[in-house]
Amino acid sequence: MPSQPPPRPAARSYDGEGIVVGFDAHRCLHAAECVRGLPAVFDAGRRPWVQPDNAPADEVADVIRRCPSGALQYHRTGGMPDEVPTSPPVCRCTRTGCSTCAGTWRSPRPTAPGGRPG
């Protein structure tokens, strides 16, 4: 049986003045925090869909930190501080009742629906 090539890397990067934006499509929850937060930079109908030079790097970084899945990340260039992962964990509720969470989570033990041990 012939071996399969490795899958394409999920993350893609977009270089801007003072910031490099990374995007991992496999992690994206499509919450659209980025699109609503800074539509001049994040526009799913445009190619490339991320254009970090369309806003100041500080504003781009602020919007990326709101990404609930961590699909967007950033690296600051020119000596500015890089992104620091969310810790402790943060959860947000949406209009649909679903919660979006970011950060490191640990469960003391798995549970079944209703809180019973699984």
Side-chain angles (χ1 to χ4, degrees):
M1 180 171 166
S3 65
Q4 296 291 322
R8 282 184 33 209
R12 181 158 182 201
S13 65
Y14 303 88
D15 295 350
E17 185 68 35
I19 194 165
V20 176
V21 177
F23 175 66
D24 185 343
H26 295 286
R27 290 183 68 177
C28 185
L29 297 172
H30 304 287
E33 286 288 328
C34 55
V35 174
R36 283 191 305 273
L38 207 50
V41 173
F42 302 98
D43 182 349
R46 180 182 62 212
R47 294 293 176 254
W49 82 279
V50 178
Q51 296 185 9
D53 282 335
N54 287 353
D58 288 339
E59 290 180 25
V60 176
D62 286 343
V63 169
I64 289 172
R65 282 192 293 273
R66 296 196 312 246
C67 178
S69 67
L72 288 168
Q73 309 92 33
Y74 68 87
H75 166 72
R76 295 298 299 265
T77 58
M80 296 299 292
D82 282 339
E83 179 176 19
V84 177
T86 303
S87 188
V90 176
C91 275
R92 296 176 186 92
C93 293
T94 65
R95 290 178 296 227
T96 62
C98 300
S99 61
T100 55
C101 302
T104 303
W105 292 87
R106 288 196 177 97
S107 175
R109 65 180 187 183
T111 58
R116 298 181 308 275

